[in-house]
Amino acid sequence: MGTTFLIQGTFMRLQFGSFTLPAASLEVFDIVIVLVLAPLMEHGIYPLLERVGIKVTPLRRIGVGFLLSAASMLVAGLVETKRREVWEAGDVCRQTVFGEVHDASCFSVFWQAPEFLLIGVSEVLANITGLQFFYHCYC
């Protein structure tokens, strides 16, 4: 998914004034979300939900994580549709990416932030829970 998001980002506006945002820098959103949410979920959200009476099983976490992953792909599709509309309307920016000059849609790369946010949350719910489940079962 990261490669697909990176390719999509390279054809979006990366230049803001004299500053050019590296195409892969939005991956930081995903990393920060995982680093912040993993302990917050484990030590805050899950115990709170348990106290309220909502049973949060590993399979439920993984299921919700998969749904959020699918939602991220849906958002990516919507962003791509809008990016193409802006491109086809003639709103094109010329920019240098990876040392090559590209014509890109003038649709801001920051519209990808929700994609990375949803993927980060889905990783916390699905991947980390899966690893915890595996560790507890086989160690």
Side-chain angles (χ1 to χ4, degrees):
M1 285 179 276
T3 303
T4 304
F5 291 173
L6 176 63
I7 292 169
Q8 183 183 49
T10 59
F11 291 99
M12 297 174 80
R13 183 169 50 98
L14 298 169
Q15 294 176 324
F16 302 93
S18 62
F19 178 72
T20 301
L21 186 72
S25 63
L26 283 182
E27 188 73 30
V28 170
F29 281 117
D30 176 35
I31 295 165
V32 169
I33 291 298
V34 171
L35 289 174
V36 170
L37 270 186
L40 182 65
M41 296 292 279
E42 194 64 38
H43 300 291
I45 305 292
Y46 296 149
L48 180 66
L49 290 173
E50 293 284 336
R51 270 186 253 138
V52 174
I54 300 172
K55 184 81 170 137
V56 185
T57 65
L59 289 179
R60 287 182 181 170
R61 292 183 203 177
I62 292 170
V64 171
F66 286 170
L67 289 174
L68 290 176
S69 180
S72 177
M73 294 302 107
L74 178 66
V75 170
L78 294 172
V79 168
E80 182 63 15
T81 300
K82 182 63 178 173
R83 185 198 69 79
R84 295 279 304 178
E85 286 176 9
V86 169
W87 170 277
E88 290 169 355
D91 197 6
V92 178
C93 299
R94 194 163 196 92
Q95 60 191 9
T96 304
V97 179
F98 302 123
E100 298 176 4
V101 177
H102 288 269
D103 287 335
S105 171
C106 284
F107 194 56
S108 174
V109 73
F110 287 111
W111 282 100
Q112 284 189 308
E115 299 171 25
F116 286 103
L117 175 73
L118 288 168
I119 283 294
V121 175
S122 76
E123 286 176 2
V124 169
L125 291 170
N127 295 354
I128 293 176
T129 301
L131 290 172
Q132 289 172 338
F133 185 72
F134 177 79
Y135 179 78
H136 288 282
C137 289
Y138 296 105
C139 290

